[in-house]
Amino acid sequence: MFKPVVDVAIGILLHKNKVLVGWRQASQHQGNKHEFPGGKVETHEQPVDACRREIFEEVGIGLSDWHCFDVIRHEYDDVVVVLHLFSA
């Protein structure tokens, strides 16, 4: 069975021994769970650029120096999600 693959860029923001996380609404995919800020990688966009854009859009922080932390592939019943994690 074919499952769509979605690339997602995630920002791990650390400040004074704290990690910034959000909360997914119940109506969202994987709702009622914590999440790191980030979002889908757009067509013809590199994951690091998507991370930079998403963090600015969601949090209002314009950081340019992101470091690749990890890449995690997870298969759900309906979709395959590839998480590109970056730290700053």
Side-chain angles (χ1 to χ4, degrees):
M1 181 174 101
F2 172 79
K3 294 181 186 179
V5 177
V6 178
D7 286 288
V8 177
I10 301 297
I12 301 172
L13 293 167
L14 307 171
H15 181 68
K16 295 184 179 182
N17 294 325
K18 294 186 179 186
V19 180
L20 178 68
V21 294
W23 184 255
R24 293 187 66 78
Q25 296 179 15
S27 61
Q28 294 178 291
H29 186 265
Q30 296 293 310
N32 285 334
K33 295 182 180 180
H34 286 99
E35 69 174 350
F36 291 107
K40 292 180 183 177
V41 178
E42 294 179 0
T43 304
H44 305 297
E45 186 177 40
Q46 294 298 312
V48 69
D49 297 323
C51 179
R52 191 176 293 116
R53 175 183 53 77
E54 287 284 348
I55 296 303
F56 185 74
E57 289 175 1
E58 292 183 12
V59 187
I61 299 173
L63 298 173
S64 59
D65 194 22
W66 289 94
H67 305 279
C68 182
F69 182 79
D70 203 355
V71 177
I72 300 170
R73 182 181 186 275
H74 186 77
E75 189 168 336
Y76 294 96
D77 291 337
D78 57 340
V79 67
V80 176
V81 176
V82 180
L83 298 173
H84 301 267
L85 288 87
F86 296 91
S87 63

